[in-house]
Amino acid sequence: MRVGAFGRLVCGLAALCVCVAAAGMCAVVQAKGGGTQRISALMVSDIHLDPFYDPTKAKLLATAPVSEWENILRGPDSPGRSEAYAALQKACGAKAADSSDGLLQSSLRAMRQAAPHARFMTVSGDMIAHQFPCRFRVAVPGRSQAEYEAFVEKTIDYVMTELGKVRPGMPVYAALGNNDSGCGDYRMDAGSGFLRAAGESMLRGLLASAEKESALRDFARGGYYSVTMARPMRRTRLIVLNDMFMSRNYLTCDGRPDPAAAEVELAWLSRQLDEARAKHEHVWVMGHIPPGVDIHAVVLKMRSVCDGAEPQMFLSSEKLADVLVANADVVRLGIFAHTHMDELRLLGPGRGKHGGRIAVKMVPSITPVHGNDPAFTVAQVAPGSATLVDYSVFAASDGAHATWSKEYSYSSAYHVGAFAPREVERLVKEFAKDPDAKTPASRAFIRHFYAGDTTGLIKPLWPEYVCTLSNDTGKGFAKCACHSAR
């Protein structure tokens, strides 16, 4: 992923509440006989693990099974590690570092402390570092494409294994990101051997599911899958997308466009949503790249949408948002990421008075590659209704030896109800009425958008940025942004 210059819960009275003082959170277990139930869950994204942080060790990792990676990565640094890593960064044109294994382990420790009773984890993509092909080529020269693909597979396997240690037995639901490929950023072939291998790693924790065979089969076909979320979630289906196929940057491994891959996936998604409706299920949809406008490309590159230029979108078409909004009666939540920032969006406004609404939570990154502090989200969920009731964001102060602390909670920052369409829409409307970002809610969003930032990077762009929050179509954004500019 990239962002460039942007770079930088109430316990039920009828329930047994276990409060975690250090984290300021509480996990609720339903009292015998009924009552309101809330559970905690972890939302993680954009880890971007860099196994080349010690280039000498990378040669060992390339030949070692994943079972030996822990000992290799946590051994003493190789002589000259810093110099070798600096040379690697320069060779691959990297301006900053992704997550080392030390930072990954620090984040996992923080997750255990912040959410000791978490019932599941979502991982919305990008598990491997940026410039991965170049890094492999420089650190482990002379290897074949098959060996490179095997290294990517092992890196994803290692990350999934480590995430599974946060709370053994806890389901970890993961999506592919645009970097998570055996042939390069935004490149992938449907039905490839890479997808079959990655599916075995990414769905390992779900193998007790009755749908395991169909989930593995769908993943091998296109990197997407659908499962019934484990109890205590009730009648909730999680649909995990591979939206790389839908990206405006997507190419096959040999560099060709392939719009058919996205069409096949969208048809599959529609069938899944129809089936969920027939079974009276709630649905969560998770992917990596969100629908909507890429505000970085539109504003920072000065695209003149008010003079008729098409706003640049994250995806190649608006079809994903079309399908989701058309099924807003069953879709309770969207989870995406990709920007590395702590954001929200609302799908549906501007599509007609009878259109539905879907609240989208965009999860911040573990990697600090854009200068942001590493961060993850602890969610409070009502499992009976599949409602995201509240969430808190935890951020780190400094790399592998970080001190993690709670940045803020959604409820306390914005004083609205659950993270649901009506409440999110009300919040966005408040933002839109405040073009100078003077209200407490606007200031809170700007402050927390970029974990660790205190400079208000998006404040100069606030009216245009707010237009992206509830305008998932190019026309809707242009109308909003150009009206704001007058």
Side-chain angles (χ1 to χ4, degrees):
M1 216 325 287
R2 39 114 247 73
V3 159
F6 269 141
R8 312 240 320 171
L9 74 204
V10 182
C11 297
L13 295 176
L16 172 65
C17 178
V18 181
C19 291
V20 186
M25 303 293 290
C26 90
V28 181
V29 180
Q30 189 173 13
K32 187 174 181 179
T36 301
Q37 182 184 22
R38 294 184 186 178
I39 60 173
S40 59
L42 286 156
M43 293 180 172
V44 182
S45 192
D46 292 271
I47 296 169
H48 288 289
L49 177 68
D50 188 357
F52 308 100
Y53 183 74
D54 188 331
T56 299
K57 289 181 180 179
K59 297 180 178 67
L60 301 175
L61 296 173
T63 57
V66 176
S67 59
E68 295 179 9
W69 276 39
E70 179 180 346
N71 290 334
I72 295 171
L73 287 169
R74 291 170 216 176
D77 285 352
S78 303
R81 185 210 70 79
S82 295
E83 294 79 4
Y85 186 63
L88 176 63
Q89 291 283 84
K90 183 177 181 180
C92 293
K95 296 180 180 179
D98 268 316
S99 301
S100 65
D101 184 64
L103 175 55
L104 173 61
Q105 298 307 320
S106 174
S107 71
L108 300 182
R109 290 191 295 269
M111 291 175 205
R112 293 186 194 101
Q113 182 177 10
H117 304 289
R119 303 303 294 265
F120 62 88
M121 178 190 295
T122 63
V123 186
S124 37
D126 270 0
M127 287 171 275
I128 72 171
H130 296 90
Q131 301 104 21
F132 214 82
C134 175
R135 305 171 96 71
F136 183 81
R137 187 168 58 250
V138 173
V140 194
R143 303 303 176 98
S144 67
Q145 172 60 28
E147 289 173 304
Y148 170 74
E149 187 173 305
F151 195 88
V152 174
E153 292 166 2
K154 289 197 293 185
T155 305
I156 292 174
D157 194 356
Y158 176 75
V159 171
M160 291 300 301
T161 298
E162 296 304 297
L163 292 172
K165 294 177 182 178
V166 170
R167 191 163 183 254
M170 175 183 69
V172 178
Y173 305 105
L176 289 168
N178 54 279
N179 284 273
D180 302 326
S181 168
C183 59
D185 193 17
Y186 289 103
R187 294 195 174 199
M188 182 172 287
D189 288 341
S192 63
F194 168 77
L195 285 175
R196 288 191 294 274
E200 293 290 343
S201 298
M202 294 177 63
L203 276 66
R204 184 188 301 120
L206 311 180
L207 291 183
S209 168
E211 302 128 327
K212 69 174 185 179
E213 290 186 8
S214 62
L216 284 167
R217 184 169 58 250
D218 287 338
F219 199 101
R221 182 184 299 119
Y224 44 80
Y225 62 99
S226 173
V227 291
T228 301
M229 297 183 74
R231 292 186 66 84
M233 296 296 287
R234 295 194 288 276
R235 300 191 336 273
T236 302
R237 180 180 301 216
L238 176 66
I239 301 176
V240 179
L241 303 173
N242 176 12
D243 48 18
M244 188 192 309
F245 290 150
M246 307 175 203
S247 167
R248 58 184 168 84
N249 298 317
Y250 169 67
L251 295 171
T252 61
C253 288
D254 61 3
R256 294 178 296 105
D258 181 19
E263 295 297 333
V264 170
E265 182 173 2
L266 288 167
W268 170 87
L269 171 61
S270 293
R271 292 195 300 271
Q272 293 295 320
L273 291 166
D274 287 344
E275 184 178 307
R277 180 180 293 103
K279 293 183 176 181
H280 305 288
E281 294 174 328
H282 307 304
V283 174
W284 283 14
V285 176
M286 179 170 70
H288 181 66
I289 308 171
V293 174
D294 182 347
I295 188 66
H296 168 263
V298 171
V299 175
L300 295 185
K301 294 184 180 180
M302 305 304 291
R303 292 285 299 269
S304 186
V305 298
C306 297
D307 289 333
E310 289 288 332
Q312 190 157 297
M313 315 295 281
F314 282 115
L315 304 180
S316 61
S317 79
E318 297 172 355
K319 292 180 180 180
L320 175 58
D322 291 344
V323 173
L324 295 178
V325 171
N327 291 276
D329 59 318
V330 294
V331 180
R332 301 306 301 269
L333 179 69
I335 306 171
F336 292 88
H338 189 58
T339 67
H340 294 197
M341 302 301 141
D342 179 43
E343 302 185 75
L344 57 83
R345 291 201 176 200
L346 184 70
L347 304 182
R351 290 170 172 266
K353 63 181 180 180
H354 300 298
R357 305 287 193 270
I358 298 172
V360 172
K361 180 71 191 87
M362 292 174 63
V363 183
S365 70
I366 296 296
T367 181
V369 72
H370 293 313
N372 56 292
D373 288 344
F376 61 85
T377 301
V378 178
Q380 297 295 318
V381 179
S385 61
T387 300
L388 177 56
V389 178
D390 199 1
Y391 62 83
S392 293
V393 174
F394 291 77
S397 59
D398 180 36
H401 305 290
T403 299
W404 293 78
S405 60
K406 186 167 77 171
E407 285 271 294
Y408 79 103
S409 291
Y410 168 78
S411 58
S412 58
Y414 304 121
H415 305 288
V416 294
F419 190 86
R422 181 179 298 177
E423 288 77 9
V424 173
E425 186 165 27
R426 179 159 63 88
L427 181 60
V428 173
K429 286 181 178 179
E430 288 182 14
F431 293 158
K433 293 176 182 178
D434 181 32
D436 296 320
K438 292 181 177 181
T439 67
S442 296
R443 293 200 305 268
F445 190 99
I446 291 169
R447 182 167 65 251
H448 299 306
F449 163 83
Y450 183 100
D453 173 58
T454 58
T455 62
L457 287 171
I458 59 172
K459 187 172 182 179
L461 310 170
W462 185 237
E464 294 86 353
Y465 177 80
V466 171
C467 287
T468 69
L469 301 184
S470 61
N471 289 280
D472 57 82
T473 67
K475 288 183 179 179
F477 170 79
K479 182 178 179 181
C480 175
C482 295
H483 174 78
S484 299
R486 288 198 294 268

